[in-house]
Each structure stands twice: as structure tokens, then as C-alpha cells.
């Protein structure tokens, strides 16, 4: 029985392309930094898949990127915090969530489900997450847990904060490799949001596969 529904944010609650377009001027202005940052994040995801976690994720991330850029780790860390984690809030303020995302999540809350967010980036980067943060019983940043998805550690922290068993949680994300795989490793159910084409080939890879948030609400009624 599902008692809690937890959501990834990036690419799950909003269309990633709509943000990427707004981010182009920033990326072009800091191209070398952002290319390095993308490589480091990819490496950190690989390490997470192999079971690696860190005592201080943010220091590790900054040092890895500083080594690639031949830069000072503290200055790199300060830039990430100021320009990406905090600075991108104004960009996200212009992004809209997927149609019916808020309405569906609010209806799930009213129906008695616990609601949560768990993201590889600080949820506060998305301001109030389009009003969804106020509905949440738990909000988890995998970085603060010391690693990224699909490592089991942030998923376990999520279950602890929700005070429900992993098997009673449905985790909703847009990535088979990180969201679905991580949730399954932790013993949770998993839902995948994707476009109609990908949906046809992903039916057996997650417990729920949907393209419209109204489908998620309907599927949960059946599962309950």
C-alpha cells in the first residue's frame, strides 16, 4: 500500500527544455566553468551508482571542479553557491510547472498521502517549488545527504523523514538511470514521467509510466 508520494524536481515537475533556454546566456558567459561542472556532475553520478558517498559533498564537488579548471576550490564553491544554487532562483521564477502537476499533488495530499521532494540540486533553488514545497511532509537534497542519485543513501533518508517504510513510497522522476533505479534499489515503487514516444518503451521499467499528471493521479487511485 502506498502511503507517500515523493517527487524529483528537475525534468519531473517542469519541462527541462523551458529552463535550458532561459539558461543559455548564463552558460555562454561561463562556458568553460559550466562544461567542467557538467563533467564533474556526470562523474559524481557514476560514483553514486558505484556506491560512493562523501562526508562533505559540496567540498568534494568544488575540489573536483577546481582540479579540472586549475582554480581555487573555495572560489569554485562560492561561485556554485552564489551563481547556480542561489543565482538561478530568478530564472526558475520564470519557469512554469507541468500542467496539472500542482493540482494532482494537492489532490494526493487531500486524499491522505504524505508528500515529499527529493532532488539532486537544492530544492530551495526552485524558490517555493511552485507552491508544492508547502504541501510537503519532507524535503531532501541528495547533495546534503553526501551523494547523488541513484545512491541508496538519500532514498533511505527520505523514508526516515517521512516515517514510512520504503515499500510504502512511490518515487516519481524522469530518469530511469537515476530516479527509477535509485528508488528500486531502496525498495520503493517508482513512477516515470516521459513523452509519449518514450512511454511506449518504458512500460515494464517502472510501476507507473505517465505523460500527463492526471494519469498519475488516476494510477494511484487504482494502486490504493
Amino acid at each position: 500500500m502506498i502511503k507517500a508520494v515523493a517527487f524529483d524536481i528537475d525534468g519531473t515537475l517542469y519541462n527541462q527544455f523551458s529552463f535550458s533556454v532561459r539558461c543559455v546566456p548564463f552558460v555562454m558567459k561561463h562556458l568553460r566553468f559550466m562544461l567542467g561542472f557538467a563533467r564533474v556532475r556526470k562523474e559524481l553520478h557514476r560514483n553514486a551508482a558505484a556506491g560512493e558517498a562523501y562526508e562533505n559533498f559540496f567540498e568534494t564537488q568544488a575540489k573536483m571542479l577546481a582540479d579540472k579548471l586549475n582554480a581555487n576550490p573555495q572560489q569554485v564553491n562560492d561561485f556554485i553557491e552564489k551563481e547556480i544554487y542561489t543565482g538561478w532562483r530568478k530564472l526558475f521564477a520564470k519557469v512554469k510547472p507541468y500542467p496539472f502537476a500542482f493540482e494532482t499533488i494537492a489532490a494526493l495530499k487531500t486524499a491522505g498521502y504524505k508528500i515529499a521532494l527529493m532532488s539532486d540540486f537544492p530544492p530551495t533553488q526552485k524558490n517555493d517549488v511552485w507552491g508544492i514545497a508547502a504541501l510537503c511532509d519532507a524535503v531532501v537534497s541528495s547533495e546534503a545527504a553526501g551523494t547523488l542519485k541513484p545512491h541508496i543513501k538519500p532514498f533511505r533518508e527520505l523514508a526516515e523523514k517521512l516515517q514510512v517504510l520504503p515499500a510504502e513510497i512511490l518515487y516519481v522522476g524522469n530518469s530511469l538511470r537515476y530516479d527509477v533505479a535509485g528508488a528500486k534499489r531502496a525498495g520503493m515503487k517508482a513512477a516515470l514521467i516521459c513523452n509519449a514516444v518514450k512511454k511506449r518503451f518504458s512500460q515494464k521499467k517502472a510501476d507507473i509510466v505517465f505523460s500527463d499528471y492526471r494519469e498519475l493521479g488516476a494510477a494511484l487511485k487504482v494502486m490504493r
Side-chain angles (χ1 to χ4, degrees), residues 3 14 17 19 31 40 44-45 66 93 96 98 101-103 126-127 147 149 177 187 203 208-209 212:
K3 296 182 179 179
Y14 69 94
F17 180 75
F19 171 73
L31 185 58
V40 166
L44 287 166
H45 274 297
K96 295 184 181 298
Y98 275 124
F102 177 83
E103 293 86 349
K126 284 78 181 181
N127 303 294
T147 187
K149 295 177 287 185
R177 181 179 297 177
Q203 293 293 340
I208 298 173
V209 181
D212 184 306

Side-chain angles (χ1 to χ4, degrees), residues 128-142:
D128 68 348
V129 199
W130 305 286
I132 295 168
L135 302 174
C136 289
D137 300 278
V139 177
V140 175
S141 166
S142 62

Side-chain angles (χ1 to χ4, degrees), residues 13 97-107 212-217:
L13 295 179
Y98 275 124
F100 305 106
F102 177 83
E103 293 86 349
T104 297
I105 295 169
D212 184 306
Y213 265 89
R214 289 172 294 185
E215 296 177 85
L216 176 64

Side-chain angles (χ1 to χ4, degrees), residues 9-10 37 41 57-58 61 80-81 84-86 89 92 118-127 129 139-144:
I9 299 177
D10 298 296
F37 185 65
R41 294 292 289 199
F57 175 89
F58 301 103
Q61 175 177 254
I80 294 172
E81 176 61 38
I84 297 178
Y85 289 166
T86 301
R89 289 178 186 173
F92 279 108
M118 189 181 83
S119 174
D120 275 339
F121 281 98
T124 52
Q125 185 190 48
K126 284 78 181 181
N127 303 294
V129 199
V139 177
V140 175
S141 166
S142 62
E143 295 172 315

Side-chain angles (χ1 to χ4, degrees), residues 37-115:
F37 185 65
R39 289 196 296 269
V40 166
R41 294 292 289 199
K42 188 174 182 179
E43 185 175 343
L44 287 166
H45 274 297
R46 285 199 303 266
N47 293 348
E52 192 166 349
Y54 310 95
E55 185 174 342
N56 190 313
F57 175 89
F58 301 103
E59 286 184 4
T60 300
Q61 175 177 254
K63 186 172 187 314
M64 290 172 66
L65 182 51
D67 288 344
K68 291 185 182 300
L69 301 176
N70 192 28
N72 180 279
Q74 187 58 54
Q75 290 178 342
V76 168
N77 191 61
D78 290 346
F79 183 89
I80 294 172
E81 176 61 38
K82 180 182 178 182
E83 300 295 339
I84 297 178
Y85 289 166
T86 301
W88 282 5
R89 289 178 186 173
K90 60 182 179 292
L91 296 179
F92 279 108
K94 301 176 182 178
V95 174
K96 295 184 181 298
Y98 275 124
F100 305 106
F102 177 83
E103 293 86 349
T104 297
I105 295 169
L108 293 175
K109 180 75 172 180
T110 300
Y113 291 98
K114 288 188 174 183
I115 302 297

